[in-house]
Amino acid sequence: MALPKFEDFLYPFLVATNSKDITISEMRQYIVDYFHITDEDCNLRTKSGNTTQMVDRLNWVRQYLRRALMIELPQRGVYRITQRGRDYLASHNSLRKQDLMQYPEFASYTTGSASSSVQETPISTKEVVNEDLTPTEQLEQAYHSINDDLAADLLQKTLEQSPYFFEHLVVDLLVKMGYGGSFANSAQVTQYVHDDGIDGIIYEDKLGLDKIYIQAKRYKLDNTVGKPQIQQFSGALDEQKATKGVFITTSTYSKEAKQYVEKLNKKIVLIDGQELARYMIEYNVGVSTKQVYEVKRIDSDYFEE
């Protein structure tokens, strides 16, 4: 089965503490048995890759229940239910985040206000969807959403520029990605007229023994690059006796174009519009940092006696 949603962990987590103090490892095993979670699902990583989804969910459930004063930590790595937690279990057989909002301590933690009236605030569809995620996952989702919007804007802005500007852009990007030597003029845009199908050249060494040839096509998003255009680029590489080429477009490639490059005895890399925008963001081409948020965690070593 798939890993249960974040909120689904709240009730069994609290129930597990109701009979005795329980350690982190015991809690993890209890939850695994409760939901019949497979080893494969237990090992699923968060998008950042810093931890598993299982550990992330359990950490945030612990945080929520502590903030609602339903559990406490009598010692490191041990969970204990409080009287409030027992009282809740005595009259309920489920637990969701909205149920925790009745407690002013938790409401203050999540909204910045101790007023329990926050329950009356309408909840948007997007917020309901996010209830399935831990705050870590919500942050990651927001980050990817912002980058997706930025990528779309980058492509649109690129399409508004001239073909010559686009050729400079792709050369700048490849240099930022680490291609080209550390010497002057290791990358260049070819002459706009009579370029013989080559828009840019990157020299990987000073003597020019190893070169990467570039073809850049600033096409509208619905203008698919087909096999004939890749064949023409391949022919241009043959004329240069070249074995390395990069074809970059703002649009997409046909299935036939992709299959064609796989059969060549030379290396041609195809980069479509989505990949182009993603690389521009990753290597800071045409973008700047607006805001940096530092996400910190407890330094457990500091508190060791």
Side-chain angles (χ1 to χ4, degrees):
M1 62 168 289
L3 197 66
K5 298 174 182 178
F6 164 55
E7 279 194 311
D8 295 337
F9 281 69
L10 287 169
Y11 182 73
F13 191 111
L14 187 61
V15 169
T17 64
N18 198 29
S19 58
K20 64 168 187 173
D21 291 355
I22 186 168
T23 66
I24 292 175
S25 59
E26 289 172 335
M27 177 62 75
R28 183 182 184 280
Q29 190 58 52
Y30 178 89
I31 294 297
V32 167
D33 294 340
Y34 185 92
F35 289 110
H36 306 291
I37 302 173
T38 65
D39 290 341
E40 182 180 3
D41 287 332
C42 282
N43 293 325
L44 290 173
R45 310 293 293 184
T46 59
K47 289 183 178 178
S48 66
N50 293 331
T51 186
T52 64
Q53 293 180 21
M54 178 77 169
V55 169
D56 183 58
R57 279 163 167 72
L58 290 175
N59 285 343
W60 281 106
V61 168
R62 176 198 64 198
Q63 178 78 340
Y64 275 28
L65 293 178
R66 283 186 67 192
R67 290 291 185 168
L69 303 186
M70 285 188 166
I71 66 167
E72 59 186 5
L73 275 64
Q75 63 188 76
R76 185 178 179 182
V78 175
Y79 308 132
R80 174 181 296 168
I81 196 170
T82 64
Q83 188 58 49
R84 175 181 286 183
R86 291 194 182 90
D87 292 342
Y88 183 89
L89 289 178
S91 56
H92 298 82
N93 58 10
S94 67
L95 178 59
R96 314 298 289 178
K97 180 181 176 182
Q98 196 62 24
D99 297 320
L100 300 177
M101 295 296 284
Q102 67 180 295
Y103 302 107
E105 298 87 355
F106 184 80
S108 177
Y109 163 66
T110 57
T111 67
S113 170
S115 173
S116 59
S117 63
V118 294
Q119 298 178 58
E120 302 171 4
T121 303
I123 301 176
S124 68
T125 302
K126 189 172 183 179
E127 288 172 331
V128 170
V129 172
N130 284 343
E131 292 298 324
D132 295 338
L133 307 177
T134 68
T136 300
E137 291 169 329
Q138 290 178 31
L139 181 61
E140 291 173 345
Q141 184 184 68
Y143 172 79
H144 287 287
S145 177
I146 290 171
N147 271 1
D148 287 344
D149 289 341
L150 176 58
D153 290 342
L154 271 175
L155 275 182
Q156 182 58 45
K157 193 69 176 176
T158 299
L159 286 169
E160 295 171 0
Q161 312 306 312
S162 69
Y164 189 59
F165 179 92
F166 183 57
E167 292 171 5
H168 278 277
L169 184 155
V170 298
V171 169
D172 289 343
L173 174 60
L174 290 172
V175 170
K176 284 286 189 70
M177 293 175 70
Y179 296 97
S182 58
F183 52 93
N185 301 318
S186 62
Q188 65 182 48
V189 174
T190 58
Q191 292 296 321
Y192 191 59
V193 181
H194 306 303
D195 59 15
D196 296 322
I198 303 297
D199 296 322
I201 303 173
I202 291 180
Y203 299 88
E204 296 190 277
D205 60 85
K206 277 192 174 185
L207 296 178
L209 296 175
D210 209 356
K211 304 174 187 176
I212 299 174
Y213 290 85
I214 306 164
Q215 178 72 278
K217 292 299 183 184
R218 185 190 57 97
Y219 286 158
K220 292 183 179 179
L221 303 184
D222 59 353
N223 190 346
T224 302
V225 176
K227 177 180 175 181
Q229 290 155 298
I230 305 302
Q231 286 177 317
Q232 291 174 7
F233 180 52
S234 178
L237 294 181
D238 290 337
E239 289 183 11
Q240 302 293 332
K241 296 182 174 56
T243 59
K244 296 179 182 178
V246 180
F247 197 115
I248 301 180
T249 182
T250 49
S251 61
T252 57
Y253 296 97
S254 69
K255 180 180 179 181
E256 292 75 18
K258 295 176 181 177
Q259 291 175 337
Y260 175 73
V261 298
E262 292 176 356
K263 300 175 182 178
L264 293 173
N265 57 8
K266 64 176 74 69
K267 184 64 176 178
I268 295 180
V269 175
L270 305 181
I271 298 178
D272 63 19
Q274 293 297 320
E275 292 174 302
L276 170 64
R278 189 165 62 247
Y279 285 137
M280 289 175 69
I281 294 171
E282 182 179 352
Y283 292 96
N284 294 310
V285 175
V287 298
S288 58
T289 301
K290 179 67 175 179
Q291 181 69 51
V292 175
Y293 297 94
E294 290 187 354
V295 180
K296 300 185 179 181
R297 63 176 177 81
I298 291 290
D299 181 357
S300 300
D301 294 337
Y302 178 82
F303 292 97
E304 289 287 350
E305 294 186 357

